[in-house]
Amino acid sequence: MKVHEMNKSKAAVCLIAITVLGQVLIGCNKSDGNTVTTTGQDPTVINEPVTLTVAPIVISITDEDFQTLLVDPVKKVHPNIKLELIKPGKGTNIEDLIAAGSPPDLILTWNGRLLFTKEMGLLEDVTPLLNKHKVDLDRFNPDAISAIRMVSDSNELYALPFALQHYALYYNKDIFDKFGVPYPKDGMTWDDTVELAKKVTRSEGGVDYRGLGIQNLASLHYPLSLGAVDAKTNKAIVNNDQWKRVFELGRNIYSINGNTPAKFFNNDDDVFTKNKNIAMLTAVNMIPRLLEAEKANSDMNWDVAQYPSFPERPNTYAMMNTHVIAVTKSSAHKDAAIEVMKTLTSDEVQRISAAKTARLTALKNPDIIKAFGTEIPSLKGKHVDSIFKSKAAPAVIMSEYLGKATTILRDEFTLYQGGSKDVNTALRDSEEKINKMIQTDIKK
């Protein structure tokens, strides 16, 4: 997943955020005609018209999905609530909204970005509001709730999960058919996958076929629950045997004769869907992109298998990675915002989300889990059941410096892959450079 880096000094942004929040809280004590009042009433009933702004941070949502999963179902239950999507861009990124004194009412992000939003002063424990609005947390995947809680030192809950990221091994059936090689099987280890990749890495008819593409570096280190920076100490944690294992696995993959890309860990998604010369791709949430590719190019003949696993972690893909929705600390319409969160995570909307948009539900309900992709004609006959044979690895708290740290690791891996450095030197230099980068960033 791509991670935006802060455009301004964290200290400066946080100072602005605190000022804005103070102004908003003062404003809430005034009768300005805009605050939704529920005193003495059922808090789940929103009696006055209110407009709530919704801002995605890092994750994206299409206009169509925003309408299907939020606007329409909220209007059905709460006709007085209007939702406006604020798409990130110049002047509308979260830092810009805070600086302008107009933070959103709700944010959509993932658990790996909660620490970032918490440190900007956007989040607070929503447990009292969830209790007030009778939200049953037992309905949710407990690992998703735990991944959100771990951001807090006191077990606070800052958001609700509304979708789980799912990882799988996608493959181009035509390439396997062309070379007479059996399709990938469920239950393969990384070593099994590398050996299979060797059989379909060839050059024929002027086309170079690569056996295995890697979406990004996280494809390899997330299954081992590895972060690059300790989020609490802001120190690099990459000079160790586990990261050595990741680098060595990456080298095994890219050292297959003919499987070396122009740039490592650089999103092989487009190559897989457009050039169609990659036989297998390990990826997160690839189905929407594949469906789009099918619309543009109907002869994309693909299927899916279970994500490769490490022997000590069988049937395990990457870390718990959940998309979440949160009401901001500054919102003047928290009762209405919680009702939006309730609607998005309701059984009805979660079933629509799973069936029509191929989002893996964050609920425990087995019927909703089974609804995954059932209303998407293109998925008929695909082995999407393979996705459910794996579970998420334990989550870790993601540092805001992960993006920059990953760039350093990728550069050092390139030197290691090219033979300029041995693996121990590459990791030691990675750690030193990451720590230097963090200290420089802190001083800005």
Side-chain angles (χ1 to χ4, degrees), residues 214-228:
I214 303 296
Q215 193 175 42
N216 48 44
L217 186 57
S219 299
L220 303 186
H221 72 87
Y222 274 14
L224 294 172
S225 299
L226 295 180

Side-chain angles (χ1 to χ4, degrees), residues 114-307:
L114 283 176
L115 182 62
F116 166 81
T117 49
K118 174 191 174 186
E119 291 182 345
M120 293 183 73
L122 285 172
L123 302 179
E124 65 181 353
D125 184 13
V126 293
T127 302
L129 280 168
L130 296 179
N131 291 335
K132 178 181 178 182
H133 288 255
K134 300 177 182 179
V135 175
D136 182 7
L137 293 180
D138 288 337
R139 298 171 53 247
F140 294 86
N141 182 309
D143 293 332
I145 295 294
S146 295
I148 297 170
R149 287 193 188 279
M150 69 167 49
V151 179
S152 167
D153 294 328
S154 53
N155 205 39
E156 293 179 327
L157 189 68
Y158 300 125
L160 287 179
F162 68 89
L164 305 182
Q165 300 277 67
H166 51 275
Y167 294 75
L169 178 68
Y170 298 90
Y171 59 95
N172 187 322
K173 296 173 70 175
D174 288 340
I175 295 178
F176 282 89
D177 292 342
K178 183 180 184 68
F179 298 129
V181 177
Y183 299 144
K185 299 184 298 184
D186 293 339
M188 294 194 305
T189 64
W190 280 103
D191 288 343
D192 295 333
T193 308
V194 170
E195 290 305 310
L196 182 59
K198 293 177 181 178
K199 298 178 181 180
V200 285
T201 303
R202 307 186 190 184
S203 181
E204 186 169 307
V207 179
D208 295 326
Y209 294 96
R210 290 174 50 206
L212 179 60
I214 303 296
Q215 193 175 42
N216 48 44
L217 186 57
S219 299
L220 303 186
H221 72 87
Y222 274 14
L224 294 172
S225 299
L226 295 180
V229 177
D230 185 315
K232 295 191 175 181
T233 64
N234 282 330
K235 298 290 184 181
I237 45 175
V238 298
N239 190 16
N240 53 56
D241 289 341
Q242 288 289 71
W243 268 99
K244 181 178 180 180
R245 190 177 183 188
V246 169
F247 267 40
E248 290 175 342
L249 174 57
R251 187 173 190 178
N252 287 341
I253 293 169
Y254 289 134
S255 293
I256 297 172
N257 188 25
N259 197 52
T260 305
K263 191 172 183 180
F264 303 112
F265 305 117
N266 192 43
N267 285 331
D268 278 327
D269 308 25
D270 285 342
V271 181
F272 182 76
T273 58
K274 295 179 181 178
N275 298 1
K276 295 180 292 184
N277 66 332
I278 293 181
M280 296 181 288
L281 176 72
T282 56
V284 56
N285 285 11
M286 190 66 184
I287 288 178
R289 179 168 292 194
L290 285 164
L291 296 177
E292 286 300 316
E294 283 186 345
K295 291 178 182 179
N297 189 350
S298 60
D299 64 350
M300 180 65 191
N301 189 15
W302 64 275
D303 211 332
V304 59
Q306 190 178 6
Y307 200 79

Side-chain angles (χ1 to χ4, degrees), residues 11-32:
V13 172
C14 288
L15 179 59
I16 294 170
I18 291 170
T19 302
V20 171
L21 293 175
Q23 292 173 343
V24 171
L25 291 175
I26 291 172
C28 288
N29 292 326
K30 298 178 181 179
S31 178
D32 57 7

Side-chain angles (χ1 to χ4, degrees), residues 186-187 306-310 313-317 389-392:
D186 293 339
Q306 190 178 6
Y307 200 79
S309 60
F310 289 96
R313 288 191 171 187
N315 304 314
T316 301
Y317 50 46
K389 294 181 179 180
S390 292
K391 63 181 183 300

Side-chain angles (χ1 to χ4, degrees), residues 364-421:
K364 295 189 296 185
N365 189 319
D367 291 334
I368 298 177
I369 294 173
K370 292 176 183 177
F372 181 87
T374 53
E375 295 186 33
I376 301 176
S378 296
L379 294 185
K380 301 296 183 183
K382 306 291 187 187
H383 294 100
V384 293
D385 59 303
S386 298
I387 295 170
F388 302 97
K389 294 181 179 180
S390 292
K391 63 181 183 300
V396 299
I397 304 174
M398 292 296 183
S399 166
E400 66 181 83
Y401 298 105
L402 175 63
K404 290 182 179 179
T406 300
T407 299
I408 291 171
L409 283 162
R410 188 172 61 192
D411 291 344
E412 289 297 314
F413 174 85
T414 300
L415 296 174
Y416 163 58
Q417 176 72 25
S420 300
K421 293 183 179 181

